[in-house]
Amino acid sequence: MLSVKSYMSEKEQIKRALREASLYKTQGLLEESREKYLELLNYIRESQKFSTNQELIDAVEKKIKELEKSIQEFEQGPKTLELSTQVQDLIKNLFTFSNTDEAAAVEGAVALAKFGQYERALEEFQSLLEKGIMPVVTAKNIIRCYLSMNTPEAGEILPAMPRAKTKRKKAQQMIIDISGVSIRFDGGPLKGQTVDFDVDFQSSNTVSIVISTNQKHVADCLEPGTRLEDMQCYSPITVFRSNGIVSRKATIKQGPRKGDYMIDITIEED
Amino acid sequence: MAIFNAKNRIIECKLVYYGPGRGGKTTNLEYIFRAFNKHTSSEMVSINTQGDRTLFFDFLPMGLGKIRGCDVKIQLYTVPGQPKYKSTRKMVLKGVDGVVFVADSLEIQRKANIESLKDLAENLAQENKNIFKIPLVMQYNKRDLEEKGIPLMPVELMQRELNSKLKVPYYEASALKGSGVGATLKEALLVTLRHLQKELQWTK
Ligand SMILES: Nc1nc2c(ncn2[C@@H]2O[C@H](COP(=O)(O)OP(=O)(O)OP(=O)(O)O)[C@@H](O)[C@H]2O)c(=O)[nH]1
Ligand SMILES: [Mg+2]
């Protein structure tokens, strides 16, 4: 209810409420202004003296309608904004805190994406990817940028950088479909050779490949714990370089591929 | 994250104006930009949406000149106050050294103030910072509206609800008219630089 101050005449109460509601509106407090007008409307309708004053009621109702329109416009208004290159550069500079150049470059691109500057962020991420800088983070962010650009409601900024999250969350966030990997061997009998594999199965950042029994010499080079320093990952959208580690090796016990080797490779997230 | 360059004796620190939407953060910076133009070299950057609501942040760099032989540079920021921009606030808060909490004295903003303060505490915690430890100054803004007959909260009530545990310095202000804006800023700089002095020993 309106602040009931019995010494104030009804007329004064109404004047006061109008003043309040109009101030809230000029301050951009649209919901609050609307509420005040609604409150006032009730007050007028219950007042003996003013409930017949149709002109007053109409005026207040008109205010409420106008406000509702503005509120709706705000809700539908753009949630992001294409900024000038100059301001984008500023954002890149202001929101990087890392000490190393590589981390800072990624951080700058992430900041651009978080502030909705997807096209510019994409350019940055693409060039980072080409240079092989933090490929997994970079590739993931490229996809996020595409997703955000194509989904109208994705204007709200991307979730935090995966590095800031816990390990488990990190893995859950791996959203790239990896269809194949090619591994260059640094040592062992296959030293210097590159072998391509199809990915049979992927669970977050772990991919599984199957190697047939007649390729045993290849499977022998992929024992659990083996680090793969030079690996290319292929996905429908992008190709990126990464490191991996063989996390599991098993022999398939049943079915048409019985006897073949099933090898899990966990792709490192920088 | 203050940057202290010991070789060139430059110290750079970041102050963030926080508070509920429409509370007067941007108006504070605009006043500072106009009134302290001796210390502001470049333009103020504001990224707004319709109706002047901050969408991303406002940014105003200032140079304080030499303090104890050190060149002191300050970056002032505001966050967007509307609740839906939480992730942007988090982003702007990165590397913060000191905070000015601009509370809205309007009675109808009572809850919004409390919620914004809670939001600040949460976002600081995610940055591994503690609202009880970070240099912080309270500002009770829009006091000029009292004389216009608009219901405001008494300062004692705001103190009790927002500052009884924090016990940080507070100022009444009208960012629109400029009163209290300079005092708030000076206190915020003082507590922030004092805090950094302990941390970085930059006056040694
Ligand atoms: N009367 C009066 N009005 C003020 C004062 N400070 C700000 N305002 C008005 O309140 C409204 C909001 O001010 P802003 O400075 O844009 O508020 P903000 O905190 O930056 O708001 P967001 O960007 O949405 O978070 C504007 O219409 C200002 O003119 C004040 O001290 N007195
Ligand atoms: Mg603002």
Side-chain angles (χ1 to χ4, degrees):
Chain A
M1 254 333 285
L2 296 180
S3 42
V4 184
K5 290 190 178 135
S6 48
Y7 57 84
M8 239 192 268
S9 72
E10 279 189 335
K11 191 173 164 191
E12 249 171 73
Q13 291 250 35
I14 291 170
K15 265 167 78 178
R16 195 189 163 94
L18 282 169
R19 206 165 50 222
E20 255 184 70
S22 127
L23 175 100
Y24 298 155
K25 189 179 168 190
T26 56
Q27 301 233 331
L29 294 160
L30 304 182
E31 286 285 355
E32 292 77 3
S33 174
R34 175 176 163 267
E35 254 168 54
K36 197 82 215 171
Y37 280 122
L38 282 171
E39 217 176 76
L40 175 62
L41 200 61
N42 280 336
Y43 181 82
I44 295 170
R45 283 186 176 137
E46 278 165 24
S47 142
Q48 288 212 323
K49 208 156 128 202
F50 290 94
S51 59
T52 52
N53 187 338
Q54 197 54 42
E55 215 176 316
L56 180 63
I57 292 176
D58 286 350
V60 174
E61 279 177 340
K62 189 167 161 238
K63 292 275 185 203
I64 294 170
K65 285 229 175 69
E66 282 170 7
L67 277 163
E68 278 166 355
K69 200 167 146 245
S70 312
I71 291 168
Q72 217 183 2
E73 274 168 15
F74 266 111
E75 275 166 6
Q76 289 166 353
K79 292 204 178 92
T80 184
L81 200 74
E82 191 66 23
L83 303 171
S84 69
T85 314
Q86 213 184 348
V87 178
Q88 288 178 341
D89 289 342
L90 182 73
I91 285 181
K92 227 177 94 177
N93 286 332
L94 293 179
F95 294 94
T96 49
F97 304 97
S98 297
N99 292 325
T100 68
D101 288 351
E102 295 201 344
V106 173
E107 229 179 354
V110 167
L112 284 166
K114 287 208 174 185
F115 286 117
Q117 308 303 298
Y118 300 117
E119 295 200 0
R120 173 73 186 278
L122 263 176
E123 278 172 30
E124 306 266 329
F125 282 128
Q126 298 279 17
S127 103
L128 291 170
L129 194 62
E130 276 158 27
K131 292 180 199 145
I133 296 174
M134 296 194 187
V136 177
V137 169
T138 307
K140 276 201 294 199
N141 277 301
I142 286 176
I143 292 167
R144 290 215 188 117
C145 284
Y146 277 121
L147 288 175
S148 305
M149 276 156 70
N150 294 328
T151 336
E153 69 273 18
E156 186 66 35
I157 313 308
L158 300 173
M161 266 251 321
R163 336 158 103 270
K165 300 246 161 120
T166 63
K167 261 234 141 57
R168 239 185 86 219
K169 280 224 170 115
K170 240 189 199 174
Q172 284 166 353
Q173 284 193 355
M174 182 81 169
I175 50 164
I176 309 171
D177 270 329
I178 298 172
S179 50
V181 293
S182 85
I183 297 169
R184 215 178 67 89
F185 291 94
D186 290 343
L190 294 176
K191 184 170 176 170
Q193 288 189 44
T194 302
V195 186
D196 293 337
F197 301 94
D198 285 336
V199 168
D200 280 75
F201 181 72
Q202 176 183 1
S203 154
S204 70
N205 59 337
T206 298
V207 294
S208 305
I209 56 176
V210 175
I211 300 177
S212 72
T213 36
N214 61 29
Q215 296 279 307
K216 183 169 181 299
H217 65 289
V218 177
D220 284 346
C221 296
L222 294 167
E223 291 301 330
T226 306
R227 285 191 57 83
L228 308 166
E229 302 283 358
D230 190 0
M231 198 162 87
Q232 300 261 14
C233 299
Y234 302 94
S235 86
I237 302 180
T238 178
V239 181
F240 59 92
R241 264 204 336 217
S242 180
N243 295 336
I245 187 158
V246 176
S247 47
R248 200 173 73 105
K249 183 175 179 181
T251 315
I252 299 173
K253 297 265 164 27
Q254 289 169 9
R257 309 202 66 170
K258 189 172 165 189
D260 288 354
Y261 302 98
M262 165 83 96
I263 290 168
D264 287 353
I265 298 169
T266 300
I267 293 166
E268 290 183 350
E269 309 220 3
D270 299 275
Chain B
M1 191 183 340
I3 299 169
F4 174 49
N5 184 326
K7 194 164 143 257
N8 303 327
R9 302 205 61 75
I10 295 175
I11 183 157
E12 205 165 46
C13 66
K14 175 167 177 176
L15 268 190
V16 176
Y17 282 67
Y18 213 93
R22 320 312 298 138
K25 300 175 290 294
T26 299
T27 311
N28 261 277
L29 253 64
E30 282 168 347
Y31 182 82
I32 293 166
F33 182 55
R34 275 183 276 120
F36 300 90
N37 56 3
K38 213 172 73 201
H39 297 287
T40 54
S41 46
S42 57
E43 286 295 299
M44 171 171 162
V45 178
S46 287
I47 307 174
N48 299 334
T49 169
Q50 322 111 288
D52 285 345
R53 286 168 161 78
T54 301
L55 179 63
F56 295 156
F57 57 84
D58 300 299
F59 170 68
L60 177 61
M62 291 180 85
L64 297 191
K66 289 234 189 290
I67 300 179
R68 303 207 206 175
C70 229
D71 207 1
V72 179
K73 294 184 188 229
I74 310 284
Q75 299 182 330
L76 302 184
Y77 288 80
T78 74
V79 297
Q82 294 179 78
K84 63 177 170 183
Y85 295 135
K86 182 159 182 138
S87 64
T88 307
R89 279 193 293 280
K90 249 187 242 172
M91 193 70 194
V92 175
L93 213 49
K94 277 197 172 167
V96 62
D97 297 302
V99 179
V100 173
F101 188 85
V102 180
D104 194 329
S105 300
L106 286 174
E107 216 172 79
I108 53 160
Q109 291 297 81
R110 184 173 175 179
K111 247 171 99 184
N113 288 329
I114 296 171
E115 263 152 31
S116 175
L117 193 63
K118 240 170 76 187
D119 177 76
L120 170 64
E122 278 168 23
N123 286 342
L124 284 172
Q126 288 195 11
E127 270 265 295
N128 285 325
K129 290 189 170 118
N130 184 333
I131 194 169
F132 287 96
K133 294 200 178 131
I134 195 158
L136 175 67
V137 173
M138 266 304 155
Q139 181 185 77
Y140 301 134
N141 190 33
K142 302 193 187 172
R143 297 315 301 186
D144 61 291
L145 291 172
E146 186 122 63
E147 56 186 47
K148 292 211 169 148
I150 304 295
L152 296 190
M153 286 176 276
V155 170
E156 301 74 57
L157 174 69
M158 298 184 82
Q159 272 288 87
R160 202 159 57 236
E161 288 192 339
L162 304 170
N163 202 13
S164 63
K165 294 214 183 75
L166 292 168
K167 296 193 171 63
V168 297
Y170 67 96
Y171 292 88
E172 295 182 38
S174 165
L176 199 63
K177 303 198 164 156
S179 65
V181 172
T184 310
L185 174 63
K186 276 178 199 152
E187 182 69 27
L189 291 174
L190 191 75
V191 292
T192 304
L193 291 173
R194 200 184 283 149
H195 183 86
L196 290 176
Q197 149 65 7
K198 275 188 215 141
E199 234 170 53
L200 303 174
Q201 304 277 310
W202 58 276
T203 55
K204 280 220 174 120

